Amino acid sequence: MTMSVKQALEQRTAVNFFDASKALTDDQITELVRLATLAPTAFNLQNWHFVAVKSESAKQKLHAAAYGQQKVLDAAMTFIVCGELESHQKFDRVVKTLIEQGGVSEADAAVWKAKVIATHENNAEVQRAEAFRSASLAAMALMLAAEEQGLATGPMSGFDPAAVSAAFELPVTRIPVILVAVGYAAEGNYPQKPRLAVTEVLDIC
């Protein structure tokens, strides 16, 4: 039975305890990333990158960089969801896809590219802000996709970005934004925590 987005949001919870005996296949991991990359990005920049930490040796490296959090070792795998700072310099690959698959004319694609360069070139603040936005949107899409597939997820901001970058030899233009542990839940996890009333966080103007 297919799960609705509403159901996924209402039952999703941040999992801390995973069943260490259960693994994910490479096909499952690939499909999660495929779905995550359907999240939106400004100008369709797709300024994200995913590192799937699955092997025991890689888990040990990430465990050390994530302040010793046990779920990194117990989860089937953990994604390092990164934002790319210089995707605007590789926008020709997006332009090619737009023309070949998206029905966009070469002239319109050229205008699109000019706007990307104008907004991102030599603007470190925009590059970083958009990289964080895109990676965050992708991470949420990934978690909803995992929920629909019967998987549990644990998003993690508790890690040392410099240590993660060093351990996985990330280029300086690739920023680790969030970790998402993925696997099968074990016993002992809390249900979804109560949220504030919508009236406390919403203004309708």
Side-chain angles (χ1 to χ4, degrees):
M1 178 178 177
T2 300
M3 179 183 295
S4 70
V5 174
K6 179 177 182 290
Q7 289 171 320
L9 285 167
E10 289 179 340
Q11 74 178 41
R12 184 211 60 79
T13 188
V15 167
N16 284 314
F17 304 111
F18 288 88
D19 185 341
S21 69
K22 295 183 178 179
L24 292 182
T25 66
D26 288 354
D27 285 345
Q28 285 177 293
I29 293 169
T30 300
E31 177 64 0
L32 287 174
V33 173
R34 185 188 74 81
L35 292 169
T37 60
L38 298 179
T41 55
F43 297 107
N44 195 31
L45 197 57
Q46 302 175 60
N47 46 337
W48 44 41
H49 192 86
F50 305 81
V51 179
V53 178
K54 181 183 176 185
S55 70
E56 288 305 314
S57 60
K59 284 184 178 183
Q60 289 293 339
K61 291 194 295 184
L62 186 58
H63 179 250
Y67 307 124
Q69 294 185 71
Q70 184 64 30
K71 58 188 165 187
V72 171
L73 300 179
D74 292 342
M77 51 81 56
T78 298
F79 286 106
I80 306 170
V81 185
C82 303
E84 293 278 5
L85 299 179
E86 294 186 352
S87 285
H88 61 286
Q89 295 183 359
K90 303 174 184 177
F91 195 66
D92 282 341
R93 61 185 182 175
V94 176
V95 167
K96 184 174 184 291
T97 304
L98 288 171
I99 294 170
E100 293 179 354
Q101 301 178 31
V104 176
S105 69
E106 290 189 16
D108 286 345
V111 171
W112 206 329
K113 179 180 177 180
K115 290 180 179 179
V116 169
I117 299 302
T119 54
H120 286 72
E121 191 73 25
N122 300 318
N123 194 331
E125 183 177 352
V126 166
Q127 291 172 21
R128 186 173 179 83
E130 289 297 341
F132 269 75
R133 272 192 280 269
S134 297
S136 298
L137 287 167
M140 189 69 236
L142 190 153
M143 288 188 284
L144 290 176
E147 189 72 28
E148 195 271 339
Q149 295 180 24
L151 299 169
T153 57
M156 306 162 63
S157 59
F159 63 95
D160 181 339
V164 169
S165 295
F168 293 89
E169 300 180 350
L170 303 181
V172 295
T173 57
R174 185 170 294 165
I175 309 300
V177 173
I178 190 169
L179 308 181
V180 182
V182 184
Y184 296 88
E187 297 294 325
N189 288 292
Y190 288 111
Q192 189 180 88
K193 299 173 183 66
R195 294 322 197 239
L196 296 170
V198 172
T199 53
E200 294 192 42
V201 297
L202 170 66
D203 292 320
I204 300 178
C205 303

